[in-house]
Amino acid sequence: GDVPLHFAAIHGHPMCAYNIAKACPASCLCRNARGQTPVDVAVACERGEVLNAMLLACAGDAGEGAVAAMRKLLRDGAVP
């Protein structure tokens, strides 16, 4: 099923997305039952503000999950 970050993306809550991604950058890459990551959902729902919030949250973390999340976010349309 969906994780909280999916719901933040669906409903357009950038501050929620920021806080969740800051606490766990790898959550940006969690797939739901439809195979979508929260990044995919934000793109599909045209939630650029959520993409940018997730990117900002991951930017200060050099961990493997954060770097992978930042790559996907930038590839899928987040604006640095």
Coordinates of all heavy atoms in Angstrom, one line a residue:
G1 N 0.8 -1.2 0.0 CA 0.0 0.0 0.0 C 0.9 1.3 0.0 O 2.1 1.2 -0.1
D2 N 0.2 2.3 0.1 CA 0.8 3.6 0.1 C 1.5 3.9 1.5 O 0.9 3.5 2.5 CB -0.1 4.8 -0.2 CG -0.6 4.7 -1.7 OD1 0.1 4.2 -2.5 OD2 -1.8 5.2 -1.9
V3 N 2.6 4.6 1.5 CA 3.2 5.1 2.7 C 2.8 6.5 2.9 O 2.3 7.1 1.9 CB 4.8 4.9 2.7 CG1 5.1 3.4 2.6 CG2 5.4 5.6 1.5
P4 N 3.0 7.1 4.0 CA 2.6 8.5 4.2 C 3.2 9.5 3.2 O 2.5 10.4 2.8 CB 3.2 8.8 5.6 CG 3.1 7.5 6.3 CD 3.5 6.5 5.3
L5 N 4.3 9.2 2.6 CA 4.9 10.1 1.6 C 4.1 10.1 0.3 O 3.9 11.1 -0.4 CB 6.4 9.8 1.4 CG 7.2 10.8 0.6 CD1 7.0 12.2 1.2 CD2 8.7 10.4 0.6
H6 N 3.5 8.9 0.0 CA 2.6 8.8 -1.1 C 1.4 9.8 -0.9 O 1.0 10.5 -1.8 CB 2.1 7.4 -1.3 CG 3.0 6.5 -1.9 ND1 3.8 5.6 -1.2 CD2 3.4 6.3 -3.2 CE1 4.5 4.9 -2.0 NE2 4.3 5.3 -3.2
F7 N 0.8 9.8 0.3 CA -0.3 10.6 0.6 C 0.0 12.1 0.5 O -0.8 12.9 0.0 CB -1.0 10.2 1.9 CG -1.6 8.9 1.9 CD1 -1.1 7.8 2.6 CD2 -2.8 8.7 1.2 CE1 -1.7 6.6 2.6 CE2 -3.4 7.4 1.2 CZ -2.8 6.4 1.9
A8 N 1.2 12.4 1.0 CA 1.6 13.8 0.9 C 1.7 14.3 -0.5 O 1.4 15.4 -0.9 CB 3.0 14.0 1.6
A9 N 2.2 13.4 -1.4 CA 2.3 13.7 -2.8 C 1.0 13.8 -3.5 O 0.7 14.7 -4.2 CB 3.2 12.6 -3.5
I10 N 0.1 12.9 -3.2 CA -1.3 12.9 -3.8 C -2.0 14.2 -3.4 O -2.6 14.8 -4.3 CB -2.1 11.6 -3.3 CG1 -1.5 10.4 -3.9 CG2 -3.6 11.8 -3.6 CD1 -2.0 9.1 -3.2
H11 N -1.9 14.5 -2.1 CA -2.7 15.7 -1.7 C -2.0 17.0 -1.7 O -2.6 18.0 -1.3 CB -3.3 15.4 -0.2 CG -4.2 14.2 -0.2 ND1 -5.4 14.2 -0.8 CD2 -4.0 12.9 0.2 CE1 -6.0 13.0 -0.6 NE2 -5.1 12.2 0.0
G12 N -0.8 17.0 -2.1 CA 0.0 18.2 -2.3 C 0.4 18.9 -1.0 O 0.1 20.1 -0.9
H13 N 1.0 18.2 -0.1 CA 1.4 18.7 1.2 C 3.0 18.8 1.2 O 3.6 17.8 1.7 CB 0.9 17.9 2.3 CG -0.6 18.0 2.4 ND1 -1.3 19.1 2.8 CD2 -1.6 17.0 2.2 CE1 -2.6 18.9 2.8 NE2 -2.8 17.6 2.4
P14 N 3.6 19.8 0.7 CA 5.0 19.9 0.6 C 5.7 19.8 2.0 O 6.8 19.2 2.1 CB 5.3 21.2 -0.1 CG 4.1 22.0 -0.1 CD 3.0 21.0 0.1
M15 N 5.2 20.5 3.0 CA 5.9 20.5 4.3 C 5.8 19.1 4.9 O 6.8 18.6 5.6 CB 5.2 21.5 5.3 CG 5.6 22.9 4.9 SD 7.4 23.2 4.6 CE 8.0 22.8 6.2
C16 N 4.7 18.4 4.7 CA 4.7 17.0 5.2 C 5.7 16.1 4.5 O 6.4 15.3 5.1 CB 3.3 16.4 5.0 SG 2.0 17.0 6.1
A17 N 5.7 16.3 3.1 CA 6.7 15.6 2.3 C 8.1 15.9 2.8 O 8.9 15.0 2.9 CB 6.5 15.9 0.9
Y18 N 8.4 17.1 3.0 CA 9.7 17.5 3.5 C 10.1 16.8 4.8 O 11.2 16.2 4.9 CB 9.8 19.1 3.7 CG 11.1 19.5 4.3 CD1 12.2 19.8 3.4 CD2 11.3 19.6 5.7 CE1 13.4 20.2 4.0 CE2 12.5 20.0 6.2 CZ 13.6 20.3 5.3 OH 14.8 20.7 5.9
N19 N 9.2 16.9 5.8 CA 9.5 16.3 7.1 C 9.7 14.8 7.0 O 10.6 14.2 7.6 CB 8.4 16.6 8.1 CG 8.4 18.1 8.5 OD1 9.5 18.7 8.6 ND2 7.3 18.7 8.7
I20 N 8.9 14.1 6.2 CA 9.0 12.6 6.0 C 10.3 12.3 5.3 O 11.0 11.4 5.8 CB 7.8 12.1 5.3 CG1 6.5 12.3 6.1 CG2 8.0 10.6 4.9 CD1 5.2 12.0 5.3
A21 N 10.6 13.0 4.2 CA 11.8 12.7 3.5 C 13.0 13.1 4.3 O 14.1 12.4 4.1 CB 11.8 13.5 2.1
K22 N 13.0 14.1 5.1 CA 14.1 14.5 5.9 C 14.4 13.4 7.0 O 15.6 13.0 7.2 CB 13.8 15.8 6.7 CG 14.9 16.4 7.4 CD 15.9 17.0 6.5 CE 17.0 17.8 7.2 NZ 18.1 18.2 6.3
A23 N 13.4 12.8 7.5 CA 13.5 11.8 8.5 C 14.0 10.5 7.9 O 14.7 9.7 8.5 CB 12.2 11.6 9.3
C24 N 13.6 10.2 6.7 CA 13.9 9.0 6.0 C 14.0 9.2 4.5 O 13.0 8.9 3.8 CB 12.9 7.9 6.4 SG 13.2 6.3 5.6
P25 N 15.1 9.6 4.0 CA 15.2 9.9 2.6 C 14.9 8.7 1.7 O 14.3 8.9 0.6 CB 16.7 10.3 2.4 CG 17.1 10.8 3.7 CD 16.3 10.0 4.7
A26 N 15.2 7.5 2.1 CA 14.9 6.3 1.3 C 13.4 6.1 1.1 O 13.0 5.4 0.1 CB 15.5 5.1 1.9
S27 N 12.5 6.8 1.9 CA 11.1 6.7 1.7 C 10.6 7.3 0.4 O 9.6 6.9 -0.2 CB 10.3 7.3 2.8 OG 10.5 8.7 2.9
C28 N 11.5 8.1 -0.2 CA 11.2 8.7 -1.6 C 11.1 7.6 -2.6 O 10.6 7.8 -3.7 CB 12.2 9.7 -2.0 SG 12.2 11.2 -0.9
L29 N 11.8 6.4 -2.3 CA 11.9 5.4 -3.3 C 11.0 4.1 -3.0 O 11.1 3.2 -3.7 CB 13.4 4.9 -3.4 CG 14.3 6.1 -3.8 CD1 15.8 5.6 -3.7 CD2 14.0 6.6 -5.1
C30 N 10.2 4.2 -1.9 CA 9.3 3.1 -1.6 C 8.2 3.0 -2.6 O 7.6 3.9 -3.0 CB 8.7 3.4 -0.2 SG 9.8 3.2 1.2
R31 N 8.0 1.7 -3.0 CA 7.0 1.5 -4.0 C 5.7 1.0 -3.4 O 5.7 0.3 -2.4 CB 7.4 0.5 -5.0 CG 8.6 1.0 -5.8 CD 8.9 0.1 -7.0 NE 10.0 0.7 -7.8 CZ 9.9 1.6 -8.7 NH1 8.7 2.1 -9.0 NH2 11.0 2.1 -9.3
N32 N 4.5 1.5 -3.9 CA 3.2 1.0 -3.4 C 2.8 -0.2 -4.2 O 3.6 -0.7 -5.0 CB 2.2 2.2 -3.5 CG 2.0 2.7 -4.9 OD1 2.3 2.0 -5.9 ND2 1.4 3.9 -5.0
A33 N 1.6 -0.7 -4.0 CA 1.1 -1.9 -4.7 C 1.1 -1.7 -6.2 O 1.1 -2.7 -6.9 CB -0.3 -2.2 -4.1
R34 N 1.0 -0.5 -6.7 CA 1.0 -0.2 -8.1 C 2.4 0.0 -8.7 O 2.5 0.3 -9.9 CB 0.1 1.0 -8.4 CG -1.4 0.7 -8.1 CD -2.3 2.0 -8.2 NE -1.9 3.0 -7.3 CZ -2.2 3.1 -6.0 NH1 -2.7 2.1 -5.4 NH2 -1.8 4.1 -5.3
G35 N 3.4 -0.2 -7.8 CA 4.8 0.0 -8.3 C 5.2 1.4 -8.4 O 6.3 1.7 -8.9
Q36 N 4.5 2.4 -7.8 CA 4.8 3.8 -7.9 C 5.6 4.2 -6.6 O 5.2 3.9 -5.5 CB 3.6 4.6 -8.0 CG 2.7 4.4 -9.2 CD 1.4 5.1 -9.1 OE1 0.7 4.9 -8.2 NE2 1.1 5.9 -10.1
T37 N 6.6 5.0 -6.8 CA 7.3 5.7 -5.7 C 6.5 7.0 -5.4 O 5.7 7.5 -6.3 CB 8.7 6.0 -6.1 OG1 8.7 7.0 -7.1 CG2 9.5 4.8 -6.5
P38 N 6.7 7.6 -4.3 CA 6.1 8.9 -4.0 C 6.6 9.9 -5.1 O 5.8 10.8 -5.4 CB 6.7 9.3 -2.6 CG 6.9 8.0 -2.0 CD 7.4 7.1 -3.0
V39 N 7.8 9.8 -5.6 CA 8.2 10.7 -6.7 C 7.3 10.5 -7.9 O 6.8 11.5 -8.5 CB 9.7 10.4 -7.0 CG1 10.1 11.3 -8.2 CG2 10.6 10.7 -5.8
D40 N 7.0 9.3 -8.3 CA 6.2 9.0 -9.4 C 4.8 9.6 -9.2 O 4.2 10.1 -10.1 CB 6.0 7.5 -9.6 CG 7.3 6.8 -9.9 OD1 8.2 7.4 -10.6 OD2 7.5 5.6 -9.6
V41 N 4.3 9.4 -8.0 CA 2.9 9.9 -7.7 C 2.9 11.5 -7.7 O 2.0 12.0 -8.3 CB 2.5 9.4 -6.3 CG1 1.2 10.1 -5.8 CG2 2.3 7.9 -6.2
A42 N 3.9 12.1 -7.2 CA 4.0 13.6 -7.3 C 4.0 14.1 -8.7 O 3.4 15.0 -9.1 CB 5.2 14.1 -6.5
V43 N 4.8 13.4 -9.6 CA 4.8 13.7 -11.0 C 3.5 13.5 -11.6 O 3.0 14.4 -12.3 CB 5.9 12.9 -11.7 CG1 5.8 13.1 -13.2 CG2 7.3 13.3 -11.3
A44 N 2.8 12.4 -11.4 CA 1.5 12.1 -12.0 C 0.4 13.1 -11.5 O -0.4 13.4 -12.3 CB 1.1 10.7 -11.6
C45 N 0.6 13.6 -10.3 CA -0.4 14.5 -9.7 C 0.0 16.0 -10.0 O -0.7 16.9 -9.5 CB -0.6 14.3 -8.3 SG -1.4 12.7 -7.8
E46 N 1.1 16.2 -10.7 CA 1.6 17.5 -11.0 C 1.8 18.3 -9.8 O 1.4 19.5 -9.7 CB 0.7 18.2 -12.0 CG 0.5 17.5 -13.3 CD -0.4 18.2 -14.3 OE1 -0.9 19.3 -14.0 OE2 -0.6 17.7 -15.4
R47 N 2.6 17.7 -8.8 CA 2.9 18.3 -7.6 C 4.3 18.7 -7.5 O 5.1 18.1 -6.8 CB 2.5 17.4 -6.4 CG 1.1 16.9 -6.3 CD 0.2 18.1 -6.0 NE -1.2 17.5 -5.7 CZ -2.2 18.3 -5.4 NH1 -2.1 19.6 -5.4 NH2 -3.3 17.7 -5.1
G48 N 4.7 19.6 -8.3 CA 6.1 20.1 -8.4 C 6.6 20.6 -7.0 O 7.8 20.4 -6.7
E49 N 5.7 21.2 -6.3 CA 6.1 21.7 -5.0 C 6.5 20.6 -4.0 O 7.4 20.7 -3.2 CB 5.0 22.6 -4.3 CG 3.8 21.9 -3.9 CD 2.8 21.5 -5.0 OE1 3.1 21.7 -6.2 OE2 1.7 21.1 -4.6
V50 N 5.9 19.4 -4.2 CA 6.2 18.3 -3.3 C 7.5 17.7 -3.8 O 8.4 17.3 -3.0 CB 5.1 17.2 -3.4 CG1 5.5 15.9 -2.7 CG2 3.8 17.8 -2.8
L51 N 7.8 17.6 -5.1 CA 9.1 17.1 -5.6 C 10.2 18.0 -5.1 O 11.2 17.5 -4.6 CB 9.1 17.2 -7.2 CG 8.3 16.2 -7.9 CD1 8.3 16.5 -9.4 CD2 8.8 14.8 -7.7
N52 N 10.0 19.3 -5.1 CA 11.1 20.2 -4.7 C 11.3 20.1 -3.2 O 12.4 20.2 -2.7 CB 10.7 21.6 -5.1 CG 10.8 21.8 -6.6 OD1 11.5 21.1 -7.3 ND2 10.1 22.9 -7.1
A53 N 10.2 19.9 -2.4 CA 10.3 19.7 -1.0 C 11.1 18.5 -0.6 O 12.0 18.5 0.3 CB 9.0 19.7 -0.3
M54 N 10.8 17.4 -1.4 CA 11.5 16.1 -1.1 C 13.0 16.3 -1.5 O 13.9 15.8 -0.8 CB 10.9 15.0 -1.9 CG 9.6 14.5 -1.4 SD 9.0 13.0 -2.1 CE 8.4 13.6 -3.7
L55 N 13.3 17.0 -2.6 CA 14.7 17.2 -3.0 C 15.4 18.0 -1.9 O 16.5 17.7 -1.5 CB 14.7 18.0 -4.3 CG 16.1 18.3 -4.9 CD1 16.9 17.0 -5.2 CD2 16.0 19.1 -6.1
L56 N 14.8 19.1 -1.4 CA 15.4 19.9 -0.4 C 15.7 19.1 0.9 O 16.8 19.2 1.5 CB 14.5 21.1 -0.1 CG 15.1 22.1 0.9 CD1 16.3 22.7 0.4 CD2 14.0 23.2 1.2
A57 N 14.8 18.2 1.2 CA 14.9 17.4 2.4 C 16.1 16.4 2.3 O 16.8 16.2 3.2 CB 13.6 16.6 2.7
C58 N 16.3 15.9 1.1 CA 17.4 14.9 0.9 C 18.7 15.6 0.6 O 19.8 14.9 0.8 CB 17.0 14.1 -0.3 SG 15.6 13.0 -0.1
A59 N 18.8 16.8 0.3 CA 20.0 17.5 -0.1 C 21.1 17.5 0.9 O 22.2 17.5 0.6 CB 19.7 18.9 -0.5
G60 N 20.8 17.6 2.2 CA 21.8 17.6 3.2 C 22.3 16.3 3.7 O 23.1 16.2 4.6
D61 N 21.8 15.2 3.1 CA 22.2 13.9 3.6 C 23.0 13.2 2.5 O 22.6 13.1 1.3 CB 20.9 13.1 3.8 CG 21.1 11.8 4.5 OD1 22.1 11.1 4.2 OD2 20.2 11.4 5.2
A62 N 24.2 12.7 2.9 CA 25.1 12.1 1.9 C 24.9 10.5 1.9 O 25.7 9.8 1.2 CB 26.5 12.4 2.2
G63 N 23.9 10.1 2.6 CA 23.6 8.6 2.6 C 23.2 8.1 1.3 O 22.7 8.8 0.4
E64 N 23.4 6.8 1.1 CA 23.1 6.1 -0.1 C 21.6 6.3 -0.6 O 21.3 6.6 -1.7 CB 23.4 4.6 0.0 CG 23.3 3.9 -1.3 CD 23.7 2.4 -1.1 OE1 24.7 2.2 -0.4 OE2 23.0 1.6 -1.7
G65 N 20.7 6.2 0.4 CA 19.3 6.4 0.1 C 19.0 7.8 -0.4 O 18.2 8.0 -1.3
A66 N 19.6 8.8 0.3 CA 19.3 10.2 0.0 C 19.9 10.5 -1.4 O 19.2 11.2 -2.2 CB 19.9 11.1 1.0
V67 N 21.0 10.0 -1.7 CA 21.6 10.2 -3.0 C 20.8 9.6 -4.1 O 20.5 10.2 -5.2 CB 23.1 9.7 -3.1 CG1 23.7 9.8 -4.5 CG2 23.9 10.5 -2.1
A68 N 20.3 8.4 -3.9 CA 19.5 7.7 -4.9 C 18.2 8.5 -5.1 O 17.7 8.6 -6.2 CB 19.2 6.3 -4.5
A69 N 17.6 8.9 -4.0 CA 16.4 9.7 -4.0 C 16.6 11.0 -4.8 O 15.7 11.4 -5.6 CB 15.8 10.0 -2.6
M70 N 17.7 11.7 -4.5 CA 18.0 13.0 -5.2 C 18.1 12.7 -6.7 O 17.6 13.5 -7.5 CB 19.2 13.6 -4.7 CG 19.0 14.3 -3.3 SD 20.3 15.3 -2.8 CE 21.6 14.1 -2.4
R71 N 18.8 11.7 -7.1 CA 18.9 11.4 -8.5 C 17.6 11.2 -9.2 O 17.3 11.7 -10.3 CB 19.8 10.1 -8.7 CG 21.2 10.3 -8.5 CD 22.1 9.1 -8.9 NE 23.4 9.4 -8.6 CZ 24.2 8.6 -7.9 NH1 23.7 7.5 -7.3 NH2 25.5 8.9 -7.6
K72 N 16.7 10.4 -8.6 CA 15.4 10.2 -9.1 C 14.6 11.5 -9.2 O 13.9 11.8 -10.2 CB 14.6 9.1 -8.4 CG 13.2 8.9 -8.9 CD 12.7 7.5 -8.6 CE 11.3 7.3 -9.1 NZ 11.2 7.4 -10.6
L73 N 14.6 12.3 -8.1 CA 13.9 13.5 -8.1 C 14.3 14.5 -9.2 O 13.5 15.0 -9.9 CB 14.1 14.2 -6.7 CG 13.2 13.6 -5.6 CD1 13.9 13.9 -4.2 CD2 11.8 14.1 -5.6
L74 N 15.6 14.6 -9.4 CA 16.1 15.5 -10.4 C 15.8 14.9 -11.8 O 15.4 15.7 -12.7 CB 17.6 15.7 -10.3 CG 18.0 16.5 -9.1 CD1 19.5 16.4 -8.8 CD2 17.6 18.0 -9.3
R75 N 15.9 13.6 -12.0 CA 15.5 13.0 -13.3 C 14.1 13.2 -13.6 O 13.7 13.4 -14.8 CB 15.9 11.5 -13.2 CG 15.8 10.8 -14.5 CD 16.3 9.4 -14.5 NE 15.6 8.6 -13.4 CZ 16.3 8.1 -12.4 NH1 17.6 8.2 -12.2 NH2 15.6 7.4 -11.4
D76 N 13.2 13.2 -12.6 CA 11.8 13.3 -12.8 C 11.2 14.7 -12.7 O 10.0 14.8 -12.8 CB 11.1 12.4 -11.8 CG 11.3 10.9 -12.1 OD1 11.9 10.6 -13.2 OD2 10.8 10.0 -11.3
G77 N 12.0 15.7 -12.5 CA 11.5 17.1 -12.7 C 11.6 18.0 -11.5 O 11.2 19.1 -11.6
A78 N 12.2 17.6 -10.4 CA 12.5 18.5 -9.3 C 13.4 19.6 -9.8 O 14.3 19.4 -10.5 CB 13.0 17.8 -8.1
V79 N 13.2 20.8 -9.3 CA 14.1 21.9 -9.7 C 15.1 22.2 -8.5 O 14.6 22.5 -7.4 CB 13.2 23.2 -9.9 CG1 14.1 24.4 -10.3 CG2 12.2 22.9 -11.0
P80 N 16.4 22.1 -8.8 CA 17.4 22.4 -7.8 C 17.4 23.9 -7.4 O 17.0 24.7 -8.1 CB 18.7 22.0 -8.4 CG 18.4 21.8 -9.9 CD 17.0 21.8 -10.1

